[in-house]
Amino acid sequence: MLTVKELSKSFNGKSVLEKVSLEVSKGDVIVILGPSGSGKTTFLRSLNHLEKADSGILELEGKTYDLAKIGRKDVLELRQKTAFVFQHYNLFANKTALENILEGLVIARKIPKSEAEKIALEALEKVGLLSHKDYYPNQLSGGQQQRIGIARAIAVKPELILFDEPTSALDPELIGDVLGVMKQLAEEGVTMIVVTHEMAFARDVATHIVFMDEGRIIEEGKPKDFFLHPKEERTRKFLARILVDASYTENYIL
C-alpha cells in the first residue's frame, strides 16, 4: 500500500533523516518509537508534505511521488489520501466540534454540506462525542479535543492516518480514551502510522514496531520480538530506560 524509499531531510545543514525506508501494508498499525530528536516527527510530517524532504520516493496506492520535486497538484492528491492527527489538536477555536469536522469535508473535499454533516455526525459518534457536537474547543478537555481531531481524520476516509504523538499533550487520566479510539480503529483495519511513547499501545496494538535514532531506523520487527528479543544494543538501552518496570517484558504475552 505504502512504500517509502530513502527519505532524507536536513535543517540548516544538519541531517535529521538519513535515507529512511519503510513498507506499510493495508491494515498495518506501524508504531514508531525513539528518543526525542530522533527524526520521528519529521519523518511523519514528510509523508504528508508538511515538511518538504530533500530526497526520497513515496509510493501510495499505485502512485509514485518524488518528495523533493513534488508539485502542488500532487501534494493535494497526496493529502486527499492521508490524514494527520496532531499533537496539539489544531482545532479552529471559533468553530464547534461539528464545524471543525465539516471544514475538511466541505471546503477541502467539496462534499455537499448535507452529506458532509451526516459523515461528520457519524465520525463524532464513533469517537463517543456526538453529544458534544455543538461544543467549542475551549469547552472540551484535552482528551475530547484530541478525539475531535481523530474524528476529523476518519471523516475524510483516508487510505492512511498519521498520528504524531497524539497523547503527549494530555493529562494521564485522559490518555486512555484517546488510545481506546485508536485501538478501535486498528481493530476495524484502519491503516495507521503512529509516533508515540505509549509502550502498552505499541505492545498491544501495533503490527510492526520501528525504532529510530539519529535520523535512522535502528531496528524494526514484530512487537513480541522487539520487546522481548531486541537485536541492537541501542534498542536495548532505550527499552531499559523507557520500561521502568522490569516485569514489563517478563509478563509480556501476545
Side-chain angles (χ1 to χ4, degrees), residues 103-211:
E103 187 81 8
L105 295 169
V106 175
I107 304 301
R109 305 284 172 128
K110 310 300 182 186
I111 296 174
K113 188 171 182 180
S114 59
E115 181 183 347
E117 185 163 330
K118 181 180 177 182
I119 294 170
L121 292 172
E122 289 174 351
L124 281 168
E125 186 171 21
K126 183 178 283 290
V127 301
L129 288 174
L130 182 58
S131 61
H132 291 62
K133 65 183 179 68
D134 296 321
Y135 285 42
Y136 288 89
N138 66 1
Q139 297 174 304
L140 300 168
S141 70
Q144 289 170 334
Q145 289 184 63
Q146 191 60 289
R147 283 152 65 194
I148 298 300
I150 295 173
R152 179 176 57 187
I154 62 179
V156 298
K157 297 178 172 60
E159 300 294 335
L160 172 69
I161 303 181
L162 307 169
F163 291 84
D164 182 21
E165 301 197 22
T167 61
S168 64
L170 302 180
D171 292 332
E173 67 269 21
L174 302 177
I175 289 173
D177 289 340
V178 173
L179 293 179
V181 170
M182 294 171 65
K183 185 174 182 179
Q184 178 186 346
L185 294 177
E187 291 170 350
E188 294 173 0
V190 176
T191 309
M192 300 185 279
I193 302 179
V194 184
V195 170
T196 185
H197 291 291
E198 298 294 336
M199 294 296 115
F201 178 86
R203 177 197 68 186
D204 298 335
V205 181
T207 58
H208 193 79
I209 305 284
V210 173
F211 173 60

Side-chain angles (χ1 to χ4, degrees), residues 214-254:
E214 296 184 347
R216 298 179 295 113
I217 292 178
I218 304 299
E219 184 168 346
E220 56 182 307
K222 298 294 183 183
K224 187 173 183 178
D225 294 331
F226 180 83
F227 284 108
L228 286 181
H229 308 292
K231 297 175 181 177
E232 302 296 329
E233 179 63 22
R234 181 65 187 90
T235 309
R236 289 192 287 271
K237 287 182 178 179
F238 173 79
L239 291 175
R241 276 204 317 272
I242 295 297
L243 305 178
V244 178
D245 182 358
S247 67
Y248 183 93
T249 53
E250 295 172 8
N251 295 333
Y252 173 54
I253 300 174
L254 277 178

Side-chain angles (χ1 to χ4, degrees), residues 14 26 36 40 61 68 77 98 113 163 165 185 202:
K14 177 178 173 56
K26 193 170 184 64
S36 298
K40 307 183 301 295
E61 292 291 293
E77 182 181 77
L98 178 61
K113 188 171 182 180
F163 291 84
E165 301 197 22
L185 294 177

